[in-house]
């Protein structure tokens, strides 16, 4: 089973979209194996968005993602990375198809409700930024 990171960004939390986002993922057949609400410090945001550090929008990205609480989730299922990315939609909501999370809810390229890992390597890098191994449920867990 594949795992991916999904973040419901501060705009999604403020707008009360957490339940709707999670509902869509569960209805698609994915399993939530990690879930928490956090306000991430700048140091975590910098590591999360390291690929964008040389881009002009980097500081705005950091300011936004640290501006309030977000919900971090580890999503598990067959083809989770690709399918969750498809469900997320294009980064720019003007290009996001209706029926995708961003197509239905995003307000701008920055306030676009969600983030999802875009490949297996990125998922392996991003999940530990937000979750320790003990915070991720496995069938073998005793808690």
């Amino acid at each position: 089973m594949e795992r991916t990171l999904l973040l419901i960004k501060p705009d999604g939390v403020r707008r009360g979209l957490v339940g709707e986002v999670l509902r869509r993922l569960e209805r698609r057949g994915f399993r939530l194996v990690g879930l928490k609400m956090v306000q991430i410090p700048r140091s975590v945001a910098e590591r999360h968005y390291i690929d964008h550090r040389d881009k002009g929008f980097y500081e705005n990205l950091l300011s936004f993602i640290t501006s309030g609480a977000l919900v971090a989730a580890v999503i598990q299922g067959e083809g989770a990375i690709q399918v969750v990315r498809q469900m997320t939609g294009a980064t720019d909501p003007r290009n996001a198809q209706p029926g995708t999370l961003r197509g239905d809810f995003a307000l701008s390229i920055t306030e676009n409700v969600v983030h999802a890992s875009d490949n297996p390597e990125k998922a392996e890098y991003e999940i530990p930024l937000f979750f320790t191994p003990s915070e991720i449920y496995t069938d073998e867990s005793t808690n």
Side-chain angles (χ1 to χ4, degrees):
M1 282 292 146
E2 193 170 67
R3 289 182 175 166
T4 190
L5 178 74
L6 177 88
L7 301 178
I8 304 172
K9 296 179 180 181
D11 60 317
V13 172
R14 279 192 291 270
R15 292 174 55 209
L17 298 172
V18 173
E20 176 65 16
V21 169
L22 297 177
R23 181 189 68 79
R24 288 186 184 199
L25 292 164
E26 287 185 313
R27 289 185 80 183
R28 183 68 187 254
F30 291 111
R31 200 164 155 222
L32 299 171
V33 295
L35 184 67
K36 63 177 154 179
M37 180 180 276
V38 295
Q39 183 164 3
I40 62 170
R42 183 178 170 96
S43 60
V44 172
E46 288 171 347
R47 292 193 339 245
H48 179 69
Y49 286 121
I50 196 161
D51 294 344
H52 301 299
R53 71 177 171 261
D54 296 326
K55 298 178 182 165
F57 58 84
Y58 181 67
E59 284 300 321
N60 287 340
L61 197 58
L62 295 180
S63 293
F64 172 66
I65 202 72
T66 60
S67 69
L70 61 77
V71 171
V74 179
I75 309 299
Q76 180 175 289
E78 198 67 41
I81 294 168
Q82 179 183 358
V83 176
V84 171
R85 287 287 293 184
Q86 289 170 345
M87 291 176 70
T88 298
T91 303
D92 185 338
R94 294 173 296 183
N95 300 325
Q97 294 294 313
T100 65
L101 295 166
R102 290 177 176 153
D104 291 351
F105 302 118
L107 301 175
S108 72
I109 200 162
T110 302
E111 294 193 23
N112 61 12
V113 182
V114 292
H115 162 84
S117 303
D118 58 5
N119 60 57
E121 296 76 25
K122 193 68 124 189
E124 283 184 33
Y125 173 78
E126 292 178 340
I127 291 170
L129 292 175
F130 294 89
F131 292 90
T132 64
S134 67
E135 294 175 314
I136 300 172
Y137 175 78
T138 62
D139 291 335
E140 296 78 36
S141 294
T142 57
N143 358 350

